[in-house]
Amino acid sequence: KAGVTQTPRYLIKTRGQQVTLSCSPISGHRSVSWYQQTPGQGLQFLFEYFSETQRNKGNFPGRFSGRQFSNSRSEMNVSTLELGDSALYLCASSPGTSGIETQYFGPGTRLLVL
Amino acid sequence: AQSVTQLDSHVSVSEGTPVLLRCNYSSSYSPSLFWYVQHPNKGLQLLLKYTSAATLVKGINGFEAEFKKSETSFHLTKPSAHMSDAAEYFCVVSTSEGYQKVTFGTGTKLQVIP
């Protein structure tokens, strides 16, 4: 089976712009979670989607949003980018049962905001 | 409330010597605890997990961790470091308080010296 894929792998944007990141889960997985990793804050949970519905949400402002399609692929959108949004954004997929240990992580999208 | 503290941001060991990465946690509920490894430009990989069964947990690549409730610790160890162990390691606590809450430690970078 192919692993979790994320596109693009690297991205450079400027403040005020918006960005959309994509995640394709492992075939058959119905849950997709998103995480932000920064040197200062470490790894933080953004949100989780299951069957096209947001099932769980972290403590991030409304500028961060996501969605999931019927084929379980997920997108994450960040509007009005700030310098502090520069981070590695990780996506993880799981069959659907709860539990972080069931998640398989993608390689991430590295976003740089200038 | 829950939190995770990784006591060392960097650990350096010689190849063939033991590895100790320290993790303390706090949680109002019975937690599940995990260790993840992240190699450069790669996603997170689960090393091992503790979910209230045996307190000594064996994981992949020769790593193990011991859950000590009295000390609220979950330290990761390996008897003999290998060059391929050089990576960043994350201690994670997870509780189910109606929904799953996941908290990551800030990470420990392990350097292995030949």
Side-chain angles (χ1 to χ4, degrees):
Chain A
K1 273 185 179 177
V4 178
T5 57
Q6 293 187 244
T7 56
R9 291 293 311 277
Y10 303 92
L11 203 50
I12 299 175
K13 291 284 188 180
T14 56
R15 277 183 301 173
Q17 287 187 309
Q18 76 162 16
V19 67
T20 299
L21 311 181
S22 181
C23 172
S24 292
I26 291 172
S27 177
H29 284 192
R30 297 169 62 193
S31 167
V32 173
S33 297
W34 288 90
Y35 297 84
Q36 182 196 64
Q37 185 177 16
T38 61
Q41 300 296 319
L43 266 158
Q44 296 182 91
F45 170 72
L46 279 155
F47 30 64
E48 179 201 6
Y49 286 86
F50 176 76
S51 292
E52 303 178 64
T53 301
Q54 191 178 84
R55 182 161 72 173
N56 203 351
K57 188 177 186 304
N59 189 26
F60 276 80
R63 300 186 298 108
F64 292 81
S65 62
R67 59 177 176 168
Q68 187 180 33
F69 302 95
S70 58
N71 61 358
S72 294
R73 190 177 69 85
S74 176
E75 287 182 347
M76 191 194 90
N77 185 275
V78 188
S79 63
T80 320
L81 283 166
E82 301 176 0
L83 295 180
D85 297 333
S86 294
L88 179 67
Y89 290 88
L90 292 169
C91 162
S93 77
S94 70
T97 53
S98 295
I100 186 174
E101 69 270 28
T102 65
Q103 294 181 355
Y104 293 80
F105 285 81
T109 293
R110 189 166 293 280
L111 171 65
L112 177 61
V113 181
L114 301 175
Chain B
Q2 67 186 33
S3 66
V4 181
T5 302
Q6 290 185 242
L7 298 162
D8 307 294
S9 58
H10 290 84
V11 169
S12 183
V13 301
S14 297
E15 189 176 17
T17 64
V19 175
L20 170 63
L21 305 183
R22 298 181 295 167
C23 172
N24 285 104
Y25 71 93
S26 72
S27 175
S28 304
Y29 297 81
S30 295
S32 295
L33 294 160
F34 310 85
W35 276 98
Y36 280 82
V37 60
Q38 186 178 34
H39 290 276
N41 299 314
K42 298 282 183 67
L44 292 165
Q45 181 184 20
L46 179 66
L47 275 178
L48 50 78
K49 62 179 181 182
Y50 165 78
T51 53
S52 77
T55 56
L56 181 61
V57 182
K58 293 188 184 299
I60 62 171
N61 301 335
F63 284 94
E64 61 182 41
E66 186 172 8
F67 173 71
K68 291 187 176 180
K69 187 175 181 179
S70 60
E71 299 176 10
T72 60
S73 70
F74 190 58
H75 301 335
L76 181 70
T77 61
K78 182 173 181 178
S80 175
H82 192 273
M83 293 300 296
S84 61
D85 295 328
E88 189 160 18
Y89 292 79
F90 293 90
C91 182
V92 181
V93 62
S94 169
T95 54
S96 295
E97 308 166 22
Y99 62 90
Q100 188 188 38
K101 181 175 170 60
V102 176
T103 303
F104 286 82
T106 50
T108 298
K109 285 188 177 168
L110 176 65
Q111 180 186 21
V112 182
I113 302 167

